[in-house]
Structure formats: structure tokens, C-alpha cells
Amino acid sequence: MENLAARLSCKTEHEPLLPLISQKIHWQPDLSFRPFNYTAAPIIENMGGTVGTSTVVKPSPTAFVGAPMEKSSKASLIKELVALGLLKAVAAPFERVKLLLQNQKDIIKSGRLHKPYNGILHCFATTIRNEGIFSLWRGYTAMTMGHVSATVIRFGIYQYTKILDDTQWSYTRVVVSSYVASAATQFLVYPFLYAATRMATDVKTIGSNTGDRQFNGMIDVFRKTLKSDGIVGLYRGFNITLGELVMMGALSKGLNPWKQHYSYILRNNFLSRHMVELGFWISGNMATYPLDTVSRRMMMTSGSGTVKYKSTVHAIGQIMKTEGVKTFYNGAGAEILACAANRATLLLMIYVADVIGAAKKQY
């Protein structure tokens, strides 16, 4: 570390130091609680966290860098995966309720739900009454596999970029490369996320002819979808998620300066700083939520779905025509609760880590 510090100090003083591509391209841990935004939008920034083309590299706190640092990188990856699994487990009940509310129109058309839910609490109560409390985690395994796979792939990409002698890469090349990497990652993990969506929306109605589940697990989802729709069925709704990726990246670029400004002002107020970050996080999610809804609704048409959309544009038009604009935000309240639950869990994890660190120093 001393050699690294000396090198940085020397180059900063005598010549411009352009960040390596591996420093410019890094992903924040994917804490978005749309279960199938398995790849967070890439954030293009230098190690100081400032969006732009500044030539001065400042080390970022390791806790907020998506790719682990050079030393103990594998250990950092394992810790990140464990934390990711815990965060997803806490938010999973809100996720399932969000997906049920978001796709209830299609569930009703399939005959597996008799009437719409009357809000978040009613959805929770109905699901627990008919399926049991542990059913709130239905689809969690497939969802976590998608997120974990994306994290491992991003880690591999980061490790690869570190070995490139790419100090001359332009900002445009960095942006294009990061989006290509994100799109490729999304393509690889999308089937897991499709399976999680279908399992989460697989309602079991007690005392009716449709009391049995449509799917008996993730493998059964793959088998039935491939049999009825082929490989295309596993990727229905994928195109719109690419548009969502671009929109998330644009929002990140536009909002990050403001977020960093207020975070700096509140740097000595731990709780207020995280509340501001939560507000920006929710704002970004709500801006792209309609695209997320279209993606989910298109997923629901695979297999035994009752509505077939010719394209993404046709899906948007049909949903707007038959159900109205408000439908695009069905389940948004549960999404906000999931974000809040995630942030609260993250703060608790930081607090516990600080307590453990302080205890180790004492002994």
C-alpha cells in the first residue's frame, strides 16, 4: 500500500494520472429490489466517486466499491455475496407482494385469482392465509441465483479489466463498454429472473379447482416454458429491460452530482445522509418503474399466459388502452417498502460491523 500511495502521489504531482478502465468502470452492489434488475446500471466514475473525466484518482471506501480491492478480493467477493443474500432475504416478502400487485390482472385472467387485492396489507393477509407465511419467500432461490450470478460475472469482468493497459480509453469508450458488459450479464442471468417472477406470481387458491401450483419449482418453470414457447419464452420482456438499463444509467449520471452534494453536506450526520441516499434511490426506481411493469407483464405471457403481445410497443399500448396509465405503477408502494427495508438492514449491518471492529481493536 505504501508503494501504491507513493506512485499515486508522484504521478499526481508531476503528471496527469488517467484512471484505469477498471477504476472508471465499477458497479455499486446491486441493491435494487426489483428482483430482476439483476444487473445494476453501470456507474461511470473515477475512484473518487465524481462523475466525469477528472484526472486525479482518490481511493474510495471499499464498502462502496462494487468490485473488491486487489488484496483479499476473493474474501471481499464472498462477503458481498453473503450480504447480498441477506438483503434479498429481508426484502423477499415485499418483493413477492409487489409482483402479485403488479401482475394481478394477468393472474385474474388465468383464473388463479378471483378478485383484485385491496392494497399491500390485503395482499399480505390473503397470501399468508391461503399459502402460509413461508410462501412470501416463494421465488427467492431463483431470484438470489440471478443476483449472485450477476455479481460473480461483474467481479470477473472487473478482474479482467485490471490486467488491461487501457489508460488511453476515452470516456465514450468506457460508457459503451460498461453498457455492453451490463447487457451481456443481463442476458446470461435473465432466465433465472424470469423463473423467479413466474414462481412469485404462482398463486395457490385454497378450496378451488386451481388450488394446485402451476409450477413445482424453478426447474419445472424452465421445463414447461421451453416445451410451450421454446427458448424465446425465457427471454420475453428482455428488450424493455435494456431500455430500463439505459434509463437507469442516464438517471444515475444526472442525479449523482446532487446526491454527492447532499451527502457531503450531511457527511457528519449518519442517519440523515442515508435518508437522502434512500430518497434518491427510490426516485430512480419510481422513474423506471413503468418499464419494469411492462417487462413483468410480458414475462407473464410465456407458457400458459392468456395474453400475447406482439412486441414491447404493442404491450405498452394494450396495457394503457385496457387498464389505464395507473396500472404501470401497481405495486409501487411495496417497492418503496422493499427499498426502505433494504436500507434499514444495510444500516444495521454497518452498525454491527462497526461494533465488531471496535471490539477487535480493544482485544
Side-chain angles (χ1 to χ4, degrees):
M1 292 299 292
E2 292 179 359
N3 292 336
L4 177 61
R7 181 176 67 84
L8 291 177
S9 175
C10 179
K11 288 200 175 185
T12 302
E13 180 180 358
H14 298 291
E15 63 178 339
L17 176 61
L18 296 176
L20 295 174
I21 185 69
S22 58
Q23 294 171 331
K24 287 182 179 179
I25 302 180
H26 70 272
W27 290 263
Q28 298 291 345
D30 179 21
L31 303 180
S32 170
F33 278 87
R34 295 182 189 164
F36 317 112
N37 280 347
Y38 27 39
T39 54
I43 300 174
I44 313 303
E45 52 193 351
N46 60 26
M47 290 293 283
T50 304
V51 177
T53 58
S54 172
T55 59
V56 178
V57 179
K58 299 178 181 179
S60 289
T62 57
F64 299 101
V65 178
M69 304 301 283
E70 292 181 8
K71 292 186 177 180
S72 65
S73 58
K74 291 184 179 179
S76 298
L77 175 62
I78 293 173
K79 290 179 181 179
E80 181 178 340
L81 295 178
V82 171
L84 181 62
L86 178 59
L87 292 170
K88 296 301 180 186
V90 171
F94 298 102
E95 284 294 353
R96 190 180 181 204
V97 168
K98 172 245 182 180
L99 287 168
L100 289 172
L101 292 170
Q102 193 176 38
N103 298 284
Q104 60 182 319
K105 296 290 185 179
D106 287 329
I107 301 174
I108 292 173
K109 290 176 181 178
S110 70
R112 306 189 68 82
L113 183 66
H114 297 311
K115 58 182 180 180
Y117 299 109
N118 295 321
I120 297 174
L121 293 179
H122 181 250
C123 185
F124 265 112
T126 302
T127 303
I128 294 173
R129 181 174 62 250
N130 292 345
E131 305 178 28
I133 191 168
F134 292 108
S135 67
L136 295 175
W137 280 266
R138 182 168 174 79
Y140 167 74
T141 301
M143 175 183 71
T144 303
M145 288 182 67
H147 283 278
V148 168
S149 298
T151 301
V152 172
I153 294 171
R154 290 198 298 269
F155 174 79
I157 294 173
Y158 174 79
Q159 293 292 84
Y160 174 72
T161 59
K162 286 201 303 181
I163 67 175
L164 298 178
D165 184 16
D166 50 25
T167 56
Q168 301 303 315
W169 278 39
S170 65
Y171 181 75
T172 301
R173 189 176 179 185
V174 169
V175 172
V176 173
S177 299
S178 63
Y179 276 108
V180 170
S182 294
T185 303
Q186 184 143 321
F187 179 82
L188 292 174
V189 302
Y190 196 82
F192 290 111
L193 310 168
Y194 162 77
T197 302
R198 297 309 303 269
M199 290 180 66
T201 55
D202 187 11
V203 175
K204 180 179 180 181
T205 306
I206 303 300
S208 71
N209 295 331
T210 59
D212 295 332
R213 298 279 190 192
Q214 182 180 359
F215 302 109
N216 296 317
M218 182 174 61
I219 301 300
D220 192 44
V221 173
F222 291 148
R223 182 179 61 82
K224 290 182 177 178
T225 302
L226 289 172
K227 183 179 179 180
S228 62
D229 291 53
I231 191 69
V232 176
L234 299 179
Y235 285 92
R236 194 152 282 131
F238 176 74
N239 291 342
I240 191 67
T241 63
L242 296 181
E244 187 178 0
L245 247 180
V246 174
M247 187 173 179
M248 289 173 67
L251 286 171
S252 175
K253 181 176 175 61
L255 293 177
N256 261 353
W258 294 97
K259 177 183 174 182
Q260 291 166 1
H261 171 70
Y262 287 109
S263 294
Y264 178 78
I265 292 176
L266 300 170
R267 62 189 181 279
N268 295 323
N269 191 323
F270 181 80
L271 183 59
S272 296
R273 187 176 76 250
H274 280 277
M275 291 298 292
V276 168
E277 291 176 358
L278 176 61
F280 277 101
W281 183 10
I282 291 175
S283 298
N285 275 5
M286 290 300 99
T288 59
Y289 194 85
L291 301 183
D292 181 70
T293 297
V294 175
S295 175
R296 295 303 159 263
R297 296 294 294 272
M298 294 186 72
M299 286 182 183
M300 293 294 292
T301 66
S302 291
S304 59
T306 56
V307 178
K308 299 290 183 181
Y309 302 117
K310 298 178 181 178
S311 65
T312 300
V313 175
H314 182 242
I316 295 173
Q318 285 294 105
I319 294 172
M320 186 178 297
K321 179 180 179 181
T322 58
E323 302 173 28
V325 176
K326 185 179 179 181
T327 297
F328 291 105
Y329 280 94
N330 281 350
E335 169 91 345
I336 293 173
L337 291 177
C339 290
N342 163 266
R343 179 60 61 168
T345 305
L346 187 62
L347 293 179
L348 180 61
M349 291 169 64
I350 294 173
Y351 174 76
V352 172
D354 287 343
V355 171
I356 294 175
K360 286 183 178 180
K361 288 182 179 180
Q362 291 181 353
Y363 296 99

